[in-house]
Amino acid sequence: MSNTTLDSIQTAKNILLSPGGIDERVIEKALSEMYLHRLDDADLYFQHTRYESWSMEEGIVKSGNFSIDQGVGVRAIAGDKTAFAYADVVNIDTLIQAAKSTRVIGAAGGKKKISLQPMTVFSGQALYHPQDPMFSLKTEEKIKLLERIDKKARAKDPRVVQVMASLTGEFDVVLVARGNGKLVADIRPLVRVSISVIVEQNGRRESSNAGGGGRHDYTLFTEERINNWVDRAVESALINLDSKAAPAGPMTVVMGPGWPGVLLHEAIGHGLEGDFNRKGSSAFSGKLGQKVAAKGVTVVDDGTLEGRRGSLNVDDEGNPTQCTTLIENGVLKGFMQDAMNSRLMKMPLTGNGRRESYASLPLPRMTNTYMLGGDKDPGEIIASIKKGLYAVNFGGGQVDITNGKFVFAATEAYWVENGKIQYPVKGATIIGNGPESLKQVSMIGNDLQLDDGVGVCGKEGQSVPVGVGQPTLRIENMVVGGSV
């Protein structure tokens, strides 16, 4: 076992267990109390989170926040029923009381006595360094970083009239104790920079955003990365100053690589999560082994990418994350599963049990979800458009996972005729059906990109960090809502 792993184990114990007088024997007692009733599964989830954020507007630091949150969530499962309790005071009494209160979900008469295995960290994975990013820069250096962003953006063009920048960091320590005797700890850093600019010309204003992050410390934000994000935000906003009203109607749409994968995440990814399919409410329910997409379409969810925003050494049930193939060459191969849904569906566990915090129940959730690249040059794909839309960036959207219908707004898009980009367009919304759109993919680029590390996914009121990605894609017969 490496020194890093040993240090992480001790850090988790010192932060999560020792202050409340808890050790492995107390954890064994709590779980054993729960199993005095007949349960299919049970777990304890200890968490300590430190979070900071800094924001600058009009060249002035407008806010600086720091918070600490900690607690323990206790869950018992019998069949498809769950009992859950949590406390923000972590000590022996609250833990045992919560354990006793949740066991009532199962019938009396259980006899299982828990004997914990030695604590492990990372379960063989070390996708990020177990460090607190907040100490990687001094407070003055964090403010100077935001000031550099502001000055760089304003220096790019005199039409830049407003710049907003923010810096966030998080240090998350979790420990999961399961009814199978498994005891796992993970230490998760997370950082992010967000940049927003507003430009003005002849009374017309446009805005754009850029930024990124990952499971690193603040040294991730090199001068090169900051310059790239500033350039992207300013250039995109300036392009939109010259945009025209978007044409409307059914047409060919080419989506750019990287962040446009958010449409894939929302319109398709949620429908491939285990709980929706177990309940039969997903548009993909009952279609395992069937052709659900065009030839060449392969979609994976991969929680094992080093340093990525959506990656985890272990999920929030203590199971190792993995790369799960969801769709392979157009055929539906599997779903993303947490422990409960994999057991009830009799399908492999994929390490996708995620929760927002100790006060939340784990759900099957995405990590980094993306489509693999194909064999087409991106320039060839754009050149193939007779008349259509080239969507480079997307904003918000809405999806109904029961039927796959979605509406997404394109924040940077271009009208293309005879293979040539004609002009930028504004107000384009992409309207369609996720499963049907998969079947209409006609060209797949060789330029797979992942997003820069800004994704946040919401489900049942819980938000978790995620990653998205895709290559350049040509999709036929998509409906574009515009102004003409």
Side-chain angles (χ1 to χ4, degrees):
M1 189 177 291
S2 70
N3 289 333
T4 299
T5 300
L6 289 171
D7 290 345
S8 298
I9 289 174
Q10 196 57 50
T11 297
K13 287 182 176 181
N14 291 345
I15 293 176
L16 296 168
L17 303 183
S18 298
I22 297 171
D23 57 18
E24 282 91 337
R25 288 175 298 177
V26 174
I27 292 174
E28 289 175 349
K29 179 181 178 182
L31 287 168
S32 296
E33 284 283 352
M34 297 170 76
Y35 276 97
L36 291 176
H37 286 219
R38 292 196 291 271
L39 303 175
D40 290 305
D41 203 356
D43 58 26
L44 314 176
Y45 183 83
F46 299 85
Q47 182 181 35
H48 174 98
T49 304
R50 293 201 291 269
Y51 174 85
E52 72 170 353
S53 66
W54 300 87
S55 66
M56 174 169 284
E57 189 174 342
E58 300 173 349
I60 302 169
V61 175
K62 288 294 182 75
S63 68
N65 299 304
F66 179 80
S67 64
I68 297 177
D69 191 20
Q70 65 180 17
V72 59
V74 179
R75 180 179 61 150
I77 301 173
D80 61 354
K81 303 188 297 294
T82 299
F84 181 68
Y86 68 90
D88 56 9
V89 175
V90 184
N91 57 40
I92 296 173
D93 290 340
T94 57
L95 181 61
I96 299 301
Q97 182 180 350
K100 290 179 178 179
S101 68
T102 57
R103 70 186 183 192
V104 296
I105 197 75
K111 298 179 181 179
K112 184 175 179 180
K113 183 174 176 60
I114 304 300
S115 178
L116 291 177
Q117 303 167 17
M119 186 187 290
T120 58
V121 175
F122 303 148
S123 294
Q125 301 186 95
L127 305 175
Y128 33 82
H129 191 69
Q131 60 193 348
D132 188 340
M134 297 178 208
F135 295 114
S136 60
L137 284 182
K138 297 178 181 178
T139 298
E140 306 80 48
E141 294 172 318
K142 297 168 188 175
I143 294 172
K144 286 180 180 178
L145 173 61
L146 295 176
E147 290 175 340
R148 287 202 307 274
I149 292 171
D150 181 87
K151 291 176 181 177
K152 287 177 184 295
R154 293 181 188 278
K156 285 285 294 180
D157 195 282
R159 290 169 289 181
V160 175
V161 295
Q162 191 169 353
V163 180
M164 291 157 283
S166 66
L167 175 70
T168 62
E170 184 177 299
F171 178 66
D172 196 30
V173 182
V174 301
L175 185 150
V176 185
R178 297 193 57 82
N180 60 7
K182 192 174 183 180
L183 189 62
V184 179
D186 195 12
I187 297 177
R188 305 165 175 173
L190 189 65
V191 295
R192 177 176 170 176
V193 158
S194 298
I195 303 167
S196 177
V197 300
I198 297 175
V199 298
E200 184 174 8
Q201 178 178 273
N202 299 325
R204 178 175 177 175
R205 286 194 165 202
E206 296 291 345
S207 63
S208 185
N209 303 284
R215 296 202 178 278
H216 296 266
D217 62 19
Y218 290 135
T219 60
L220 175 69
F221 303 130
T222 62
E223 202 74 10
E224 181 181 1
R225 279 197 172 95
I226 293 297
N227 288 340
N228 179 46
W229 291 331
V230 169
D231 289 349
R232 199 183 310 171
V234 174
E235 289 167 6
S236 180
L238 293 174
I239 285 169
N240 281 330
L241 283 174
D242 298 320
S243 62
K244 301 178 181 180
M251 64 184 72
T252 297
V253 173
V254 170
M255 296 195 297
W259 178 248
V262 68
L263 192 151
L264 179 82
H265 167 102
E266 295 288 356
I268 298 159
H270 280 298
L272 297 174
E273 292 168 339
D275 50 353
F276 295 131
N277 287 278
R278 177 175 65 83
K279 297 171 184 176
S281 59
S282 167
F284 293 98
S285 296
K287 295 184 179 180
L288 270 178
Q290 297 181 25
K291 187 176 178 62
V292 296
K295 184 178 179 181
V297 171
T298 296
V299 179
V300 302
D301 182 84
D302 190 353
T304 69
L305 301 176
E306 187 173 348
R308 298 297 305 183
R309 180 173 170 84
S311 295
L312 295 170
N313 291 311
V314 293
D315 71 2
D316 292 323
E317 297 180 308
N319 297 306
T321 55
Q322 63 183 50
C323 182
T324 302
T325 299
L326 304 169
I327 298 172
E328 184 175 30
N329 198 24
V331 177
L332 181 60
K333 291 293 187 177
F335 303 124
M336 290 166 279
Q337 301 284 10
D338 63 347
M340 184 179 78
N341 285 283
S342 68
R343 173 177 55 82
L344 293 172
M345 295 179 74
K346 295 181 172 59
M347 294 184 66
L349 180 63
T350 62
N352 286 94
R354 304 192 64 187
R355 60 178 106 197
E356 183 177 83
S357 76
Y358 66 88
S360 309
L361 279 169
L363 303 166
R365 305 289 299 271
M366 286 173 273
T367 56
N368 304 296
T369 310
Y370 55 95
M371 184 185 297
L372 300 190
D375 60 357
K376 302 298 183 184
D377 181 84
E380 177 187 354
I381 297 177
I382 295 171
S384 72
I385 305 173
K386 186 175 182 181
K387 283 188 177 183
L389 191 76
Y390 175 39
V392 176
N393 209 349
F394 284 89
Q398 293 182 330
V399 180
D400 184 344
I401 63 99
T402 62
N403 54 31
K405 292 181 179 179
F406 62 81
V407 179
F408 268 84
T411 56
E412 183 181 344
Y414 302 86
W415 181 247
V416 181
E417 288 188 17
N418 298 318
K420 302 290 184 182
I421 293 176
Q422 303 297 313
Y423 51 83
V425 298
K426 182 177 176 63
T429 56
I430 312 297
I431 304 166
N433 175 287
E436 290 305 314
S437 297
L438 281 179
K439 297 175 183 177
Q440 296 294 323
V441 174
S442 59
M443 299 178 79
I444 304 174
N446 58 10
D447 58 340
L448 167 65
Q449 290 182 25
L450 300 179
D451 75 292
D452 287 322
V454 297
V456 178
C457 174
K459 179 178 177 180
E460 296 189 18
Q462 297 187 42
S463 295
V464 296
V466 295
V468 301
Q470 67 173 43
T472 298
L473 296 177
R474 173 174 166 149
I475 307 177
E476 310 299 331
N477 303 315
M478 297 197 80
V479 175
V480 176
S483 306
V484 182

